[in-house]
Amino acid sequence: MIWPRLECYAATRTQEGRTQNEDAFLIGRGERPFAAVCDGAGNAEQAARRALRLFEKLFAEVPPAELGNPEKWAGIVKLLDSALLGGGQSTFVALTPLDGAMVGACVGDSRAYRLTRDGDCTILTEGASKFRLGSGNAQAFPIREPAKPGDIFLLLTDGAWTPLNLFLLRKTVMAAAVRHFSDVPHAILDVAERSGRADDMTAVVLRLAR
C-alpha cells in the first residue's frame, strides 16, 4: 500500500495561570502517517499521554488494509478505555489517510473538522458520545470522510474549538494557510485565546499534499 504524503503541524497552550498542560497530541510521520489528540481529566497529564502511547502501539499492530474497518477502531477504543479504567480519563480523536479518505475515531468532546478546497467547513464528530476513555463506557465514533489533495483536517480539544464557530474557524484557517501551513494551528489558538485561556487548548492540522 502506498500512503499519501501528509502535511501535519500542531500547537498547544496551557490554561491561563497553570503550568501543567492536560492536553497531549501525537503525530506519526513515518510510513503510516497519523495524528491523534487527547484531553485528559483527573491525573490528566499522565492519562492523556498514556492513552497516546498505547494508541501508537495498537495502531501499528493493525494491518493497513483493515484500518478502514470501524470495528478495528472500536477495538482500539475498547482497549484504551480498559487501560485507563480506575484512573485519569481522557478524550481521544485520531485520523489517518486511507484509500482516498481520512479514517479514524473519536471519543468524548474533542473534535475533528474538514475544510475543503472550496471552503466548506464541517464537523466530523457531531454525535460522538461524551463518555471519556477510562470511564468504562467509552464508545468509538467512527470517522470516514472523503479526502482530496488540498483538503484540510483539524483535530481540536474543547479549549480550542469552544470559542470558535464554523465561520470564524474557516476564516482563520484559510487566512493562515496562504502564508504557510505551519502557521495554521498557531493562528487557531491565537483567535481562540481572545476569549481567554479558560482551558488548555490544542490544535493539530493535517493536509493531503497536492
Side-chain angles (χ1 to χ4, degrees):
M1 176 177 293
I2 299 176
W3 296 81
R5 190 165 67 86
L6 189 68
E7 297 178 85
C8 193
Y9 297 96
T12 187
R13 297 176 190 174
T14 58
Q15 179 179 337
E16 189 171 0
R18 297 185 59 178
T19 58
Q20 178 176 298
N21 193 333
E22 298 180 353
D23 291 353
F25 66 86
L26 183 64
I27 297 172
R29 302 186 185 276
E31 182 179 343
R32 303 170 65 178
F34 70 88
V37 167
C38 286
D39 176 3
N43 199 8
E45 186 171 20
Q46 182 179 355
R49 282 162 174 74
R50 182 181 177 189
L52 288 178
R53 286 195 300 269
L54 180 55
F55 167 71
E56 185 174 25
K57 178 177 181 294
L58 296 172
F59 178 81
E61 293 173 351
V62 178
E66 297 182 19
L67 284 171
N69 183 353
E71 292 302 316
K72 288 295 180 181
W73 289 94
I76 288 174
V77 165
K78 184 176 181 179
L79 290 171
L80 294 175
D81 190 27
S82 298
L84 268 61
L85 197 62
Q89 298 184 9
S90 180
T91 69
F92 169 79
V93 59
L95 288 175
T96 187
L98 181 73
D99 296 334
M102 293 292 283
V103 301
C106 177
V107 175
D109 60 2
S110 291
R111 283 185 176 180
Y113 296 78
R114 179 194 183 199
L115 182 62
T116 69
R117 294 173 297 174
D118 298 325
D120 294 327
C121 188
T122 55
I123 303 171
L124 305 181
T125 50
E126 199 75 72
S129 170
K130 301 305 180 186
F131 287 110
R132 295 170 176 250
L133 299 176
S135 67
N137 296 300
Q139 298 179 12
F141 182 86
I143 302 170
R144 185 178 185 90
E145 186 72 8
K148 298 179 180 179
D151 285 351
I152 295 173
F153 291 82
L154 314 172
L155 304 179
L156 307 180
T157 60
D158 62 343
W161 65 256
T162 298
L164 304 174
N165 58 37
L166 289 178
F167 173 79
L168 185 55
L169 184 60
R170 171 187 174 276
K171 179 181 177 181
T172 301
V173 171
M174 294 189 74
V178 299
R179 299 193 299 268
H180 192 278
F181 196 55
S182 63
D183 291 338
V184 175
H186 298 281
I188 292 172
L189 299 190
D190 285 344
V191 175
E193 193 174 308
R194 292 174 187 170
S195 301
R197 294 199 313 273
D199 195 0
D200 301 320
M201 50 178 64
T202 298
V204 177
V205 299
L206 307 90
R207 181 170 64 184
L208 291 177
R210 295 180 186 272

